Amino acid sequence: MESTDAPAASPEGQTEQPVVVVCIGMAGSGKTTFMQRINAHLHAKKEPPYVVNLDPAVTHSPFQSNIDIRDSVNYKKVMEEYNLGPNGGIMTSLNLFATKVDQVLGLLEKRAAPDPENPDRKPIKHVLVDTPGQIEVFVWSASGSILLDSLASSFPTVLAYIIDTPRTASTSTFMSNMLYACSILYKTKLPMIVVFNKTDVKDASFVKEWMTDYEAFQEALNNDENSNAFGGQEGSGSGSGYMGSLLNSMSLMLEEFYSHLSVVSVSSLQGTGIDDFFEAVKEKADEFKREYQPERDRRRTEREESKKKQREKELDKMMKGMSMSGTASTSAVGDIKAEGDDEDVEALSPDEDSDDELDDEQDREGLQARYDAAMLHQQEESTSADASFAKYLRTQHG
């Protein structure tokens, strides 16, 4: 009897790939608590995830990690050895860890496949990745791009952007978060879920309304302007008018961006909205396979073709540089022949061989003639010198 716990299979008969959920968010947005909540939620459903921690500076983690950057990189020693500050230490630690990305992918691929030696162990369905609270250090660094691209090249990858809902009550803070989310989306080119966290403190219905109803955002914007929320002088119209016009323009620009976002509201403390989050994860994973994966494959193919053309160009340039004359440019490289071919076995014909020997003989004769002439000249000079010396002696003693 077959086990009902077997992983779902694709139409091609292959095991369904796990979904990688990369959690990013500003410091204080509740990202760590959110990671703990979704981890516990999957454990409760008997689908334990594979957890990867990429925050080297965290001192205490409320959840267990299968792969932890702290096990291979010592954050404090990195700061001491390279004389770095906190952000520089985090970035350098990520750079060092990025050199081991192939090992990370190897472990993930091993856990994503069935184990013949342990058939009771189910392949993982989710990979949860926790990132540093200094969001710019991860998103905009080379090591962060390497890690994200490597994960996305092997598995469906989804970004979960965690936002502190109580802090987005003002239109300016809300717009700042949306612009940051937009920049991350276009930087990573990965599907994104915007998670409004801490809804137990403040309900997120107002931000959802701002994202779907332009007039509602305009009304909130006017209220902030009238209450002097933007720092302009009372009654002067300076400052607040500029900010209001800017936010108004930004909201129009982001209207298309909102239509491609999945938005969920959760409470990491109470656990509400977590099911909605995983429904959004499933939808974004399907979107990744349908829209993002073909585009990434196309760009990868273009890069490989570009590299191939560049290598051919460099090879052609090198061969031209190696040629010493127009007639000898191709003499060093010939067609490869299988052993036993009789064509062109002799590099030189007998006539060419005889000509070379004749030239060598003439060269030797010429060299000998020049040597004999030089010796004769030297002897004549020596005889003349002796005669002159003898004449000098006779003169002195005569």
Side-chain angles (χ1 to χ4, degrees):
M1 182 176 178
E2 296 181 356
S3 174
T4 57
D5 293 334
S10 63
E12 291 79 7
Q14 298 178 346
T15 304
E16 187 74 16
Q17 286 184 307
V19 180
V20 178
V21 180
V22 182
C23 295
I24 56 179
M26 300 287 187
S29 61
K31 178 172 57 62
T32 301
T33 309
F34 176 76
M35 277 285 299
Q36 180 186 16
R37 174 60 65 180
I38 60 177
N39 184 23
H41 178 82
L42 291 174
H43 274 279
K45 294 182 63 177
K46 307 299 182 184
E47 296 178 356
Y50 204 80
V51 182
V52 180
N53 174 43
L54 296 181
D55 188 354
V58 64
T59 56
H60 172 70
S61 179
F63 51 84
Q64 187 70 27
S65 299
N66 299 95
I67 299 177
D68 199 326
I69 187 176
R70 297 174 297 174
D71 294 337
S72 56
V73 180
N74 190 315
Y75 168 67
K76 291 185 177 180
K77 286 186 177 180
V78 167
M79 291 178 62
E80 293 174 359
E81 290 181 8
Y82 296 96
N83 194 24
L84 300 171
N87 286 352
I90 293 175
M91 182 176 292
T92 304
S93 298
L94 283 171
N95 291 341
L96 295 172
F97 187 76
T99 62
K100 303 178 182 293
V101 66
D102 56 336
Q103 300 178 24
V104 174
L105 292 178
L107 293 171
L108 293 178
E109 290 171 354
K110 183 179 179 181
R111 283 295 287 114
D115 187 359
E117 298 180 358
N118 187 9
D120 293 335
R121 189 184 71 176
K122 297 186 294 183
I124 56 175
K125 294 184 178 181
H126 296 89
V127 178
L128 306 182
V129 181
D130 191 18
T131 60
Q134 290 80 353
I135 186 173
E136 68 282 353
V137 173
F138 178 77
V139 174
W140 302 103
S141 66
S143 55
S145 298
I146 291 172
L147 292 167
L148 281 177
D149 288 343
S150 300
L151 290 171
S153 65
S154 301
F155 308 100
T157 305
V158 178
L159 296 178
Y161 181 51
I162 317 301
I163 295 178
D164 187 347
T165 305
R167 293 184 181 178
T168 59
S170 69
T171 53
S172 58
T173 309
F174 165 78
M175 189 56 62
S176 298
N177 271 297
M178 291 299 101
L179 289 173
Y180 212 112
C182 181
S183 64
I184 293 172
L185 176 66
Y186 287 103
K187 171 65 171 62
T188 60
K189 295 180 175 60
L190 292 171
M192 175 185 288
I193 303 171
V194 175
V195 181
F196 287 100
N197 195 17
K198 302 183 182 180
T199 55
D200 55 297
V201 178
K202 185 174 182 62
D203 188 78
S205 57
F206 72 98
V207 289
K208 291 183 178 180
E209 186 180 14
W210 287 354
M211 297 174 70
T212 55
D213 189 346
Y214 176 74
E215 294 182 358
F217 180 77
Q218 283 293 309
E219 182 179 354
L221 185 60
N222 292 332
N223 292 335
D224 285 346
E225 286 183 321
N226 294 333
S227 62
N228 198 29
F230 301 136
Q233 296 180 359
E234 191 76 28
S236 65
S238 62
S240 62
Y242 168 76
M243 282 296 296
S245 176
L246 178 63
L247 294 177
N248 184 29
S249 300
M250 291 298 179
S251 64
L252 289 172
M253 181 195 72
L254 293 178
E255 188 174 356
E256 181 69 16
F257 168 68
Y258 295 151
S259 63
H260 291 84
L261 281 181
S262 291
V263 180
V264 295
S265 55
V266 303
S267 170
S268 299
L269 184 63
Q270 298 178 349
T272 57
I274 302 300
D275 287 326
D276 296 336
F277 171 74
F278 279 104
E279 283 293 328
V281 168
K282 185 177 182 302
E283 292 177 2
K284 287 300 178 181
D286 294 337
E287 180 181 335
F288 178 90
K289 298 173 186 176
R290 184 178 63 253
E291 298 181 9
Y292 287 81
Q293 188 65 52
E295 176 64 17
R296 297 181 73 88
D297 292 341
R298 184 188 64 80
R299 287 191 285 115
R300 186 185 303 111
T301 302
E302 288 181 353
R303 286 196 301 268
E304 292 175 354
E305 291 178 353
S306 177
K307 289 180 181 179
K308 182 180 179 181
K309 291 180 180 178
Q310 185 65 23
R311 286 195 297 267
E312 292 175 352
K313 182 179 179 181
E314 292 295 331
L315 179 61
D316 184 62
K317 183 178 180 181
M318 181 184 67
M319 294 304 297
K320 290 181 179 179
M322 290 174 61
S323 62
M324 293 179 292
S325 66
T327 58
S329 60
T330 59
S331 61
V333 181
D335 294 334
I336 299 176
K337 290 181 176 289
E339 186 176 353
D341 289 349
D342 295 330
E343 298 180 5
D344 299 332
V345 173
E346 295 183 359
L348 295 173
S349 65
D351 293 339
E352 292 172 334
D353 201 4
S354 300
D355 291 340
D356 287 345
E357 291 179 358
L358 183 59
D359 292 340
D360 293 341
E361 186 177 353
Q362 292 175 351
D363 289 342
R364 285 194 297 271
E365 291 177 353
L367 181 61
Q368 185 66 38
R370 291 193 296 272
Y371 176 76
D372 293 340
M375 291 300 294
L376 180 60
H377 180 67
Q378 184 177 4
Q379 290 175 2
E380 291 175 349
E381 288 182 349
S382 178
T383 302
S384 175
D386 291 342
S388 299
F389 183 68
K391 182 179 180 182
Y392 170 77
L393 287 177
R394 286 195 299 271
T395 303
Q396 294 294 324
H397 298 283

